[in-house]
Structure formats: C-alpha cells, structure tokens
Amino acid sequence: MKAIVKTKEGEGHVELKEWPEPVPAPDEVKLKISHAGICGTDIHIIKGEWPCRPPVVLGHEFCGTAVEVGALVKSFKASDRIVASNPAQTCGHCHNCRAGNPFMCAHRVSAGYMIDGAFADYISIRAERCHHLPDNVSFRQASLGEPLSVAIHAVMERTTVHAGDLVLVSGPGCVGILTMLVAKMEGAKVIVTGTARDNLRLACARELGADVVVDISKEDPLEIVRHYSKGEGADAVYECAGAAASLDMCWEAVRRGGTLMPVGIYPGKINTDFNKVTMKELSVIGSFGYVWTSWQRCIQLLSDGKVNTEALISHELPLGRFEEAFRWSQDGSAIKVVLNPGMI
C-alpha cells in the first residue's frame, strides 16, 4: 500500500513509500482510511521536535471503513463506518488505564509516531479505540473528531466555563477554533487572537461565531481583553498556539483568580514567568488528549449538527501531495488540511 513514512529521526526524512499492508491482530480492526487530518504534532515530528520511532507511518487523526476484524472483536464488523482515537496501545492495568485515562498510561504507544499511523491506505487499530460513526456524519466531518475531542476535554472536562464568562483563546489553529466553539456552547463570550499570518484562520473563527477576533500585529490583545472584562481580565484563557510569546501574553490576559490552560504543545523547554501563578492565584490546568467521554460528546455533537467541523477544512489532498499539505499546514495558507488516500 502507499504510505507517508518518517524514515529516520531529525528534520525532514519524510517520503511516500510502498509499505506493507497491515494484518489485524485478534483484538484489532483493519480500516480502509477515508480521511486523515494533519495535526500540529505531525509538523513537530517532521521538524524533528517530537519523539518518534522511525521508520513509521505518520498520521493519528483518521476515520474510515472496517474491511476486516480480528477473531476477538465482537462490537464491529466489516463495512462499519468508524472513527478511531489514540493511543493505540496501553498496558490496561495501571491506575490511569483503570481510571479511563489512557493518555496518562506510562506505557502508552501512539499511532502515527510510535507505531504505524493513518497517512496510508489502511491501518489496524485496537477495537477498544474505535467508535461507531452515525450515518448522518460524513467522513470529512469525522476526520476532525480527534481535535474536537481534544477541545471538549479541555473546555468541558478539565476546566469549567460558565455562561457569561469571558474566554480568551490564543492561537486560531484547528484546536483553537474548536476550543472557541465548545466555549461558545457553554455560554461564554470568546475572544480569539492570532498573528498576521493567521488572517485566514481568524476569518474562519469570526465566521463560525467568535465574538471578537484580534490580529495582534494590528491591535493590543490586552487592551481588548480589558475592554470586554471591565479591566478585570479573562475568566479562562486557553493557550492553543504552543508558543512562548503567546503564553506570556496569556499570563497578562487572565484575571486574578482565573484559569489558564496550556493546550498547545511547545517545541521544547520555554522560559516564562511562572511567578504569575502565585501572584495572581491562578489555576493552571493541563489537558492532554481526551478520554472516552470526550469522544462520546464529540460524536453526539457532530450527529446533532451542533459543530460544523467541515467548515475548518480548507484543503483535501491525495497522499502524493503530502509535501504541499505539510507546507500549507505550517505557513498559514490553510486552516485544516486532510489527506484522502482514495483521491488521485
């Protein structure tokens, strides 16, 4: 089969190759990939900023049709429409696995950088990571199920947003825009900030319902926050850019006694003024990935038409155009790029 493979560690080293077609283990489902989204983590891997185990097929946001199921799989059958989650493998016995938080398993193995992922014609994934996709949800919509679940976990499950709260989202990438949408569903007024290179994404955030969008190269985001909060600051701030400068702005934007959540992944260690946590009595809460309930909420919201994930897809490309897809995902030319292995 065709697959996009990280061939060795370091920056670059990504190729479209002929790759062995996976054979499902007894507890796995083999999917024919319909769509797979390019994530910020994929860009970190390409740049050599995220650990991986090459040679490995990239891609961890995906959906498709079951073509074969292992002998132990009872809840899925061939022809089922499926959207699946990471991590691909966990120990199943530690405190976090038993508590239903597989991303915190110390023995977690994730598809797309530890074992073969979804930028390919097929993938085999454990049945316990698969979710039935309702017939009224398209594969294009479902291809953003993973980042939507990340946003749901961050806003609904790890923090509390009340109706009438002022929320700041710094970074209008896919997860940032979805975080805005989930916060809006909770009743918040949401400000979304980005840089000059984010014009396309800021426009998308505005069209999808952000109350205020701010290009920080033209306006002072702190003045905007002070205006809408009567000088107090934002009740909750979600740092979705994964940039130190963005985090520094977030420390200033959050109100005393407020909540700050780093959602974005930084390329490495950063220097920041952590004294703000003490001096402002902030609640700083981490959020990594999602849990089972995040996905249940995600699928229900998609089925009910409450979230329009397809509006974020700016480009759909075949595997053979992966170089353009990765470039556009980095340079601000795209909001969300999805790969379609069936496209010529």
Side-chain angles (χ1 to χ4, degrees), residues 109-127:
V109 174
S110 291
Y113 47 97
M114 295 179 175
I115 60 173
D116 284 347
F119 291 164
D121 292 320
Y122 298 94
I123 187 174
S124 286
I125 194 81
R126 280 185 177 179

Side-chain angles (χ1 to χ4, degrees), residues 43-57:
I43 303 304
H44 284 307
I45 295 167
I46 292 165
K47 290 181 175 181
E49 299 169 344
W50 189 265
C52 64
R53 299 176 184 173
V56 65
V57 179

Side-chain angles (χ1 to χ4, degrees), residues 122-142:
Y122 298 94
I123 187 174
S124 286
I125 194 81
R126 280 185 177 179
E128 65 183 4
R129 300 292 175 237
C130 294
H131 305 266
H132 287 282
L133 189 62
D135 290 338
N136 68 335
V137 179
S138 72
F139 281 129
R140 275 172 60 90
Q141 292 172 301

Side-chain angles (χ1 to χ4, degrees), residues 42 49 152 203 236 306:
D42 296 315
E49 299 169 344
I152 289 168
K306 297 292 181 63

Side-chain angles (χ1 to χ4, degrees), residues 22 39 75 183 188 237 265 300:
C39 171
S75 53
V237 175
I265 302 294
Q300 191 63 56

Side-chain angles (χ1 to χ4, degrees), residues 8 57 64 86 92 138 143 145 155 162 199 227 256 260 287 314 330:
K8 59 182 180 180
V57 179
N86 248 330
S138 72
S143 67
V155 178
H162 299 285
N199 283 337
H227 171 75
R256 295 175 184 273
L260 192 150
S287 183
S314 55
Q330 296 179 68

